[in-house]
């Protein structure tokens, strides 16, 4: 870990707002006030947050179980909410290494409270307090370098839309250039393509001094441009198939597919580095 970051409870935090949407308690009045503005613009934000977590679980089980990945790098970790990524991994691959990266002081406090978090006897969990805009510092860290003896699963769940262009592309490109062949990139990203209200959500975050930039399907697909996309590509999470699920969506639901997708309003995707 690196040095602590000062906590300003009067400035809303993306991580703490997300914690609030997931029903957590690690948030402050400023976070809840901003969250109320987001919820007014996009009433289904709580469901979208839960769906984002669901995709994390599906993608992580797929990579650890079906692809045998034992090295995981989670960018923009957020406040721990069970199940955490390392818990999902260690149930399948107990000897795996996981590195979490975030720079929110509340997230850091949780990591410090857990020590090196709760890794298994065989596995290891580390936390890096690094701003993702300082991506070179991350790549140069010992914790990151210790992952590179095997392919790495790089995850960017609900984080890249909080950076303006070209920053998120630089983050992804540099990380994927540094990891070995056979590594994977998984992304979830908010989009106005499925619900125009997401444009207003971006404005709410920016009015509260937090960057937020929902992107189109083409812009999100661009993150995977030099990688091999895993079928079915960049899609809504409810149809992202895993070995123990079908992509049938909500069979019997009276809502149309477009209505269901508008309630989530983010795309997800996974790709492999050749």
């Amino acid at each position: 870990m690196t040095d602590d970051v000062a906590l300003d409870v009067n400035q809303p935090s993306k991580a703490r707002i997300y914690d609030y949407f997931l029903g957590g308690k690690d948030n402050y009045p400023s976070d809840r006030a901003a969250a109320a503005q987001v919820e007014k613009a996009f009433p289904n934000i709580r469901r979208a947050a839960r769906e984002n977590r669901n995709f994390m679980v599906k993608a992580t089980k797929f990579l650890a179980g079906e692809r045998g990945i034992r090295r995981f790098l989670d960018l923009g970790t957020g406040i721990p909410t069970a199940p955490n990524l390392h818990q999902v991994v260690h149930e399948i691959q107990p000897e795996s290494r996981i590195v979490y990266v975030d720079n929110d002081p509340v997230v850091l406090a949780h990591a410090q409270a857990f020590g090196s978090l709760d890794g298994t006897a065989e596995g290891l969990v580390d936390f890096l307090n690094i701003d993702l805009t300082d991506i070179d510092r991350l790549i140069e860290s010992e914790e990151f370098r210790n992952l590179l003896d095997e392919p790495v699963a790089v995850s960017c769940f609900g984080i890249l839309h909080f950076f303006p262009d070209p920053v998120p592309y630089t983050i992804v490109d540099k990380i994927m250039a540094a990891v070995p062949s056979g590594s994977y990139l998984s992304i979830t990203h908010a989009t106005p393509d499925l619900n125009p209200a997401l444009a207003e959500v971006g404005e709410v975050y920016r009015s509260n001094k937090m960057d937020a930039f929902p992107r189109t399907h083409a812009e999100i697909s661009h993150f995977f441009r030099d990688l091999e996309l895993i079928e079915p590509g960049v899609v809504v999470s409810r149809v992202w198939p895993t070995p123990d699920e079908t992509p049938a969506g909500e069979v019997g639901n009276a809502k149309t597919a477009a209505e269901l997708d508008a309630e989530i309003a983010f795309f997800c995707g996974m790709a492999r580095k050749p």
Side-chain angles (χ1 to χ4, degrees):
M1 293 186 196
T2 53
D3 295 338
D4 291 2
V5 178
L7 173 62
D8 181 0
V9 300
N10 296 313
Q11 170 58 40
S13 152
K14 298 183 289 289
R16 299 194 305 265
I17 291 172
Y18 185 53
D19 173 73
Y20 174 76
F21 289 141
L22 289 173
K25 298 180 179 179
D26 291 291
N27 47 76
Y28 296 91
S30 63
D31 306 308
R32 294 190 286 273
Q37 296 176 44
V38 173
E39 201 160 14
K40 182 178 179 181
F42 182 41
N44 290 300
I45 184 63
R46 293 174 188 262
R47 182 181 177 191
R50 291 193 300 270
E51 187 67 20
N52 186 65
R53 293 290 299 184
N54 290 342
F55 178 75
M56 180 277 289
V57 173
K58 289 197 294 184
T60 303
K61 285 183 176 180
F62 174 78
L63 290 169
E66 295 300 308
R67 299 299 169 100
I69 300 297
R70 302 188 302 171
R71 303 290 182 263
F72 290 78
L73 177 69
D74 187 50
L75 305 180
T77 298
I79 296 167
T81 302
N84 297 307
L85 184 145
H86 71 278
Q87 293 169 327
V88 177
V89 172
H90 282 157
E91 283 188 1
I92 302 169
Q93 299 276 8
E95 73 284 6
S96 298
R97 296 178 186 171
I98 294 91
V99 175
Y100 288 120
V101 184
D102 208 307
N103 72 327
D104 185 280
V106 173
V107 177
L108 177 61
H110 276 279
Q112 290 174 329
F114 285 128
S116 185
L117 296 178
D118 52 340
T120 66
E122 303 91 345
L124 177 67
V125 182
D126 282 317
F127 181 91
L128 288 176
N129 175 23
I130 293 178
D131 189 319
L132 291 181
T133 59
D134 194 1
I135 197 65
D136 292 335
R137 183 178 166 205
L138 169 59
I139 290 173
E140 293 165 3
S141 70
E142 180 181 359
E143 291 85 350
F144 177 77
R145 306 303 299 179
N146 286 341
L147 292 177
L148 303 183
D149 59 331
E150 295 185 19
V152 181
V154 180
S155 55
C156 304
F157 298 128
I159 187 64
L160 297 177
H161 48 238
F162 290 120
F163 297 98
D165 289 344
V167 174
Y169 297 104
T170 299
I171 292 171
V172 168
D173 290 350
K174 286 191 173 185
I175 287 289
M176 296 311 295
V179 297
S181 176
S183 294
Y184 288 82
L185 172 67
S186 301
I187 289 175
T188 62
H189 197 299
T191 179
D193 287 4
L194 301 174
N195 191 327
L198 266 290
E200 186 177 348
V201 168
E203 293 174 3
V204 169
Y205 274 95
R206 293 191 294 273
S207 70
N208 283 281
K209 300 180 181 179
M210 296 174 287
D211 284 338
F213 302 92
R215 292 183 171 88
T216 66
H217 186 275
E219 291 170 328
I220 297 168
S221 298
H222 194 62
F223 287 110
F224 301 108
R225 64 194 181 281
D226 295 323
L227 307 173
E228 299 170 347
L229 270 172
I230 304 300
E231 291 295 333
V234 179
V235 296
V236 293
S237 61
R238 68 180 180 84
V239 302
W240 198 86
T242 59
D244 59 352
E245 293 179 287
T246 66
E250 300 186 26
V251 177
N253 195 310
K255 296 178 181 178
T256 66
E259 289 171 331
L260 291 171
D261 297 345
E263 292 179 353
I264 306 303
F266 70 79
F267 286 120
C268 65
M270 181 188 292
R272 180 182 180 275
K273 179 178 178 177

